[in-house]
Amino acid sequence: MKRIIFPIFFFCSALLLGQNLKLDTNSIKIGEQITLSISSEFEYGEDFVWPTFNDTITTGVEIIERTKIDSIENKNYLSLSQNFIITAWDSGSYYIAPIAFNKNKKTEGAILNVQTINLDENAEIKDIKPPMKALYGWSDIWPFLLSILLIILIYFLLKKYVF
């Protein structure tokens, strides 16, 4: 019975809330990128303000990339959503504050935990690797050969018809 009631309750509460702030995961390593999704439903004629972020969601959490705002229209509702790829460059816990769309609708807040990279203090220091040599292929060489042949052709044409 619990298996039936819980999904129905969860689905109905999601429909009633209508606004969502979701992280792919709440724990990342420094510099790792995750997706932050924001979505909300509005009745036609309802006033709302969609959030605009410059380069950070909150202090310490940077926006790497953002998608365009996606809209879906139903009979009585307009559903909007947007995804952000975010990262953080310092370890710690960051609170992403609730996003208010109007006085009645706002998302819940979220916490993003950023962990440092584990380093072994007893590990030996290693030298920097030298640059790798790039392999040359036909696609790298043919423009030079074509330009040399073109210069030789122009030289012979000038020698024959001009000089």
Side-chain angles (χ1 to χ4, degrees), residues 58-161:
T58 186
T59 304
V61 179
E62 294 183 15
I63 298 174
I64 303 297
E65 186 179 332
R66 71 186 80 217
T67 62
K68 292 182 179 179
I69 300 172
D70 186 24
S71 63
I72 299 173
E73 295 182 23
N74 295 334
K75 286 183 178 180
N76 300 323
Y77 291 97
L78 173 67
S79 178
L80 299 175
S81 64
Q82 187 173 18
N83 293 333
F84 299 91
I85 296 178
I86 61 172
T87 189
W89 301 105
D90 196 12
S91 62
S93 294
Y94 296 96
Y95 179 67
I96 299 173
I99 298 170
F101 300 106
N102 59 25
K103 63 181 181 179
N104 297 328
K105 292 189 177 186
K106 69 177 183 177
T107 64
E108 293 183 4
I111 295 178
L112 176 64
N113 295 312
V114 181
Q115 301 167 353
T116 61
I117 299 170
N118 295 330
L119 299 175
D120 185 15
E121 292 183 16
N122 297 329
E124 74 178 61
I125 297 175
K126 297 181 181 177
D127 197 13
I128 298 173
K129 292 183 179 180
M132 294 174 53
K133 296 194 180 215
L135 300 175
Y136 293 108
W138 179 248
S139 62
D140 298 324
I141 297 172
W142 76 265
F144 296 111
L145 292 176
L146 187 64
S147 61
I148 290 171
L149 288 174
L150 188 64
I151 291 171
I152 292 171
L153 179 67
I154 291 172
Y155 172 74
F156 281 119
L157 290 175
L158 286 176
K159 186 176 179 183
K160 182 176 183 179
Y161 292 110

Side-chain angles (χ1 to χ4, degrees), residues 17-69:
L17 292 175
Q19 51 276 350
N20 193 6
L21 181 139
K22 185 175 81 170
L23 292 170
D24 282 350
T25 181
N26 63 352
S27 181
I28 63 171
K29 292 191 185 289
I30 291 177
E32 188 177 351
Q33 298 177 2
I34 60 168
T35 302
L36 169 73
S37 302
I38 301 171
S39 63
S40 184
E41 284 188 352
F42 306 100
E43 293 181 13
Y44 282 115
E46 182 179 6
D47 292 333
F48 66 91
V49 176
W50 192 258
T52 56
F53 299 107
N54 292 330
D55 59 349
T56 60
I57 296 288
T58 186
T59 304
V61 179
E62 294 183 15
I63 298 174
I64 303 297
E65 186 179 332
R66 71 186 80 217
T67 62
K68 292 182 179 179
I69 300 172

